[in-house]
């Protein structure tokens, strides 16, 4: 069973209590290839849904990671500074990017579930 | 990358091999080309530096130029000293325009007194062959339908020699014909990675068979992604990024490819401009840029001096797996071109400290016999 929700921009979100943990999907890391750097936001920053939250750099290109929902950044995954390849090896686990406190927790429910996302990603693919 | 596009893309003779090995295919210069295989760009890059990898570069344009003294005739179009090239010799040079800008960079091989072989960039083949056809009106320029594969890395020779005995004798930038399994192939000791290696021109119908034999011999596949990170670490220019019609060979640091006689005689398009730049120094130069930290800087990022004034622009940038960090090249005003000059690169509105470094980032390991 899977408690992740997804955006059309290939971010995933998991609620841990009232905090949203955010990363990029397995599909996204596969498309990016080897991740070599992740630029994380400052803690305390307020983001609207769709704002740039982070930048992920692969060998070949930089890609933006967007906030899946509105809220405040309350944590970032510092471990990615030392080993950005965790995004490739464990994208929905240890490879998380940031934590946000959503302004409106109901926003989470509006995101795609796993099955819908899989269908969406296959169409992209 | 829609279906419409894909149906019009050309496929190389090794297309089936790429698909069988899980390649991620991308459109590149009108061809459907492997960006990387299942192992990823970093693994392919490392395999090239430590073992031997096989690149399909069949998208590149190959042509035979036949007739009376093709090398001397070619000198009217390029600044390289070709007339002195012995049979079996290979030279890197550039097609230039009237302003000294680079129309393309290319490899020229002397196959015989009346036969030169050229390899040009895929994206420039039409412009090049138009220029060659018009500029060499007494010669026959024939584009060849052949595959081209590059076998690169310190183990390249030991993998190739069982198929092509004698290939170990080739020095860097020389070439010879070989028969392999009844197929007439041309092998040169050259490449685009900074490593020892070979480029092998093969009749299209024999390419798959020979590529598979090289893989059986221990080579692994590498795609365009690794090709780019390898050439960037080796400080080699990429046409369209580091050089184009607005940059001259002198600005791009390619003066080494213009011999003494050509500097004295000129006689190529834009010679006055290029030769004056070589004598007096160009106003800008292509240099290596080493950013601090781990974040790559990319092409088109602005380069500033320590007083925050614009002095140039990054033309190639990315992550260098062998360096273990970001590497880049770009043009800077000549006053800032000395190694160790402190600069900043603007990365999404944020200044990243960097310094100018001597190219290459990773030493070349070409095969040069004494």
């Amino acid at each position: 069973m899977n408690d992740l929700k997804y955006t059309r921009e290939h971010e995933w979100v998991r609620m841990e209590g009232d905090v949203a943990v955010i990363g990029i999907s397995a599909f996204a890391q596969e498309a990016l290839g080897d991740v070599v750097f992740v630029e994380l936001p400052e803690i305390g920053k307020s983001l609207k849904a769709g704002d740039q939250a982070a930048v992920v750099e692969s060998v070949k290109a930089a890609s933006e990671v967007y906030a899946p929902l509105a809220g405040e950044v309350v944590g970032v995954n510092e471990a990615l500074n030392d080993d950005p390849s965790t995004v490739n090896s464990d994208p929905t686990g240890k490879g998380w990017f940031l934590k946000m406190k959503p302004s409106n927790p109901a926003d989470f429910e509006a995101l795609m579930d796993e099955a819908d996302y899989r269908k969406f990603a296959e169409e992209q693919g | 990358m829609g279906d419409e596009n894909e149906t019009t893309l050309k496929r190389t003779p090794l297309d089936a091999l790429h698909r069988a090995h899980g390649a991620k295919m991308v459109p590149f210069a009108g061809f459907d080309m492997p960006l990387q295989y299942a192992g990823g760009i970093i693994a392919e890059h490392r395999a090239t530096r430590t073992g031997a990898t096989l690149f399909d570069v069949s998208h590149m344009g190959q042509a035979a130029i036949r007739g009376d003294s093709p090398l001397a005739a070619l000198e009217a179009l390029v600044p390289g000293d070709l007339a002195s090239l012995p049979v079996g010799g290979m030279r890197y040079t550039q097609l230039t325009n009237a302003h000294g800008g680079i129309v393309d960079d290319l490899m020229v091989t002397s196959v015989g007194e009346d036969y030169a072989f050229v390899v040009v960039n895929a994206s420039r083949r039409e412009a090049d062959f138009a220029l060659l056809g018009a500029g060499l009106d007494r010669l026959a320029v024939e584009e060849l339908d052949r595959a081209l594969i590059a076998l690169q890395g310190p183990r390249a020779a030991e993998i190739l020699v069982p198929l092509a005995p004698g290939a170990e004798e080739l020095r860097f930038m020389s070439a010879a014909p070989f028969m392999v399994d009844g197929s007439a192939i041309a092998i040169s000791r050259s490449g685009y990675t900074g490593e020892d290696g070979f480029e092998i021109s093969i009749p299209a119908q024999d390419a798959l068979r020979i590529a598979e034999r090289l893989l059986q011999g221990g080579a692994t596949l590498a795609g365009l992604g690794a090709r780019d990170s390898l050439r960037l670490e080796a400080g080699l220019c990429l046409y369209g990024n580091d050089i184009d019609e607005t940059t001259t060979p002198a600005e791009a640091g390619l003066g080494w490819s213009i011999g003494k006689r050509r500097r004295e005689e000129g006689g190529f398009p834009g010679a006055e401009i290029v030769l004056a730049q070589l004598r007096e120094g160009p106003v800008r130069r292509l240099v290596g840029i080493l950013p601090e930290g781990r974040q790559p800087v990319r092409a088109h990022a602005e380069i500033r001096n320590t007083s925050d004034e614009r002095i140039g622009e990054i033309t190639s940038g990315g992550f260098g797996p062998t360096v273990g960090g970001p590497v880049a090249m770009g043009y800077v005003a000549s006053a800032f071109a000395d190694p160790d000059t402190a600069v900043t690169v603007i990365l999404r509105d944020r200044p990243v400290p960097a310094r100018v470094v001597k190219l290459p980032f990773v030493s070349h390991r070409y095969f040069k016999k004494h």
Side-chain angles (χ1 to χ4, degrees):
Chain A
M1 193 46 225
N2 197 316
D3 51 359
L4 299 183
K5 295 259 195 187
Y6 293 86
T7 70
R8 298 170 71 87
E9 310 294 342
H10 306 284
E11 292 91 10
W12 58 259
V13 186
R14 176 174 47 232
M15 293 306 295
E16 289 181 355
D18 59 354
V19 170
V21 185
I22 294 156
I24 66 168
S25 70
F27 174 86
Q29 71 76 23
E30 176 69 30
L32 287 171
D34 296 326
V35 171
V36 298
F37 187 84
V38 176
E39 183 181 306
L40 298 165
E42 281 172 28
I43 292 175
K45 192 172 182 183
S46 283
L47 297 171
K48 296 193 295 290
D51 280 357
Q52 180 187 307
V55 177
V56 57
E57 302 255 8
S58 68
V59 177
K60 56 183 201 288
S63 309
E64 297 186 337
V65 177
Y66 303 102
L69 28 72
E72 184 188 331
V73 178
V74 296
V76 295
N77 187 358
E78 302 279 0
L80 296 183
N81 294 331
D82 295 327
D83 189 6
S85 72
T86 312
V87 176
N88 295 117
S89 57
D90 191 9
T92 55
K94 291 197 181 87
W96 64 277
F97 279 47
L98 67 150
K99 294 181 179 178
M100 290 178 70
K101 186 100 180 263
S103 338
N104 178 10
D107 288 350
F108 176 74
E109 299 303 330
L111 299 171
M112 278 184 276
D113 64 18
E114 176 90 28
D116 287 347
Y117 173 70
R118 190 165 293 171
K119 208 179 298 168
F120 170 75
E122 273 165 18
E123 283 163 13
Q124 303 271 299
Chain B
M1 284 222 301
D3 293 340
E4 194 182 356
N5 219 344
E6 277 165 32
T7 55
T8 63
L9 291 173
K10 286 179 271 190
R11 296 183 170 194
T12 79
L14 296 182
D15 189 76
L17 184 76
H18 304 319
R19 291 168 200 279
H21 284 80
K24 190 181 286 181
M25 304 298 286
V26 294
F28 183 81
F31 284 81
D32 204 12
M33 295 296 290
L35 175 69
Q36 61 165 81
Y37 301 85
I41 294 172
I42 292 177
E44 292 167 20
H45 180 112
R46 294 205 170 117
T48 311
R49 295 259 185 259
T50 58
T53 56
L54 191 156
F55 298 83
D56 180 9
V57 288
S58 302
H59 60 304
M60 298 190 80
Q62 303 179 64
I65 302 176
R66 291 191 179 86
D68 185 30
S69 305
L71 296 174
L74 266 168
E75 284 197 353
L77 303 176
V78 305
D81 180 356
L82 300 181
S84 69
L85 200 57
V87 169
M90 183 179 192
R91 199 144 280 175
Y92 170 77
T93 190
Q94 309 85 32
L95 288 161
T96 50
N97 64 27
H99 307 290
I102 301 172
V103 176
D104 197 7
D105 61 341
L106 70 163
M107 288 287 189
V108 180
T109 302
S110 175
V111 183
E113 297 289 309
D114 55 0
Y115 183 2
F117 171 66
V118 299
V119 177
V120 305
N121 282 304
S123 60
R124 301 299 290 169
R125 55 205 291 170
E126 279 178 32
D128 292 353
F129 292 133
L131 207 57
L132 291 170
L136 306 174
D137 54 355
R138 289 155 185 264
L139 300 169
V141 180
E142 180 201 354
E143 198 171 352
L144 303 173
D145 179 27
R146 293 170 73 92
L148 189 65
I149 62 183
L151 181 67
Q152 299 283 296
R155 290 192 57 217
E158 68 174 79
I159 290 169
L160 181 60
V161 166
L163 274 73
E168 73 278 11
E169 296 294 325
L170 291 170
R171 283 172 298 102
F172 180 59
M173 295 299 276
S174 65
F178 288 81
M179 285 300 288
V180 173
D181 288 349
S183 178
I185 67 173
I187 300 178
S188 64
R189 199 147 201 174
S190 54
Y192 195 45
T193 61
E195 298 297 326
D196 184 20
F198 303 87
E199 288 170 304
I200 309 166
S201 174
I202 310 172
Q205 72 276 9
D206 300 327
L208 196 54
R209 190 163 45 87
I210 289 173
E212 275 169 353
R213 287 197 59 189
L214 294 171
L215 295 179
Q216 284 157 15
T220 54
L221 288 161
L224 292 179
R227 185 169 160 82
D228 190 50
S229 58
L230 288 157
R231 70 90 197 167
L232 178 54
E233 284 186 340
L236 301 172
C237 291
L238 172 61
Y239 194 88
N241 276 44
D242 311 301
I243 51 176
D244 61 25
E245 298 213 34
T246 70
T247 63
T248 71
E251 292 170 336
L254 301 173
W256 59 267
S257 70
I258 307 177
K260 184 162 173 280
R261 181 177 59 81
R262 299 305 311 274
R263 290 179 189 227
E264 285 163 3
E265 295 175 2
F268 59 91
E272 280 174 32
I273 295 166
V274 174
L275 297 181
Q277 288 179 347
L278 287 173
R279 278 193 308 272
E280 294 149 27
V283 297
R284 58 174 181 167
R285 290 177 192 274
L286 185 66
V287 295
I289 301 281
L290 194 65
E292 279 180 21
R294 298 192 55 161
Q295 187 159 20
V297 299
R298 308 285 179 179
H300 310 301
E302 186 177 330
I303 307 171
R304 293 184 187 166
N305 64 14
T306 48
S307 311
D308 215 28
E309 295 158 330
R310 183 191 171 94
I311 56 164
E313 191 177 293
I314 298 292
T315 51
S316 285
F319 179 81
T322 304
V323 170
V327 289
M329 300 201 288
Y331 285 92
V332 295
S334 295
F336 302 94
D338 290 336
D340 273 331
T341 303
V343 298
T344 59
V345 180
I346 307 304
L347 186 70
R348 295 184 283 275
D349 300 328
R350 191 167 53 78
V352 174
R355 63 189 170 91
V356 174
V357 294
K358 205 168 157 14
L359 293 169
F361 294 100
V362 173
S363 301
H364 297 160
R365 296 195 288 175
Y366 301 138
F367 182 76
K368 298 182 180 179
K369 254 189 316 198
H370 299 292

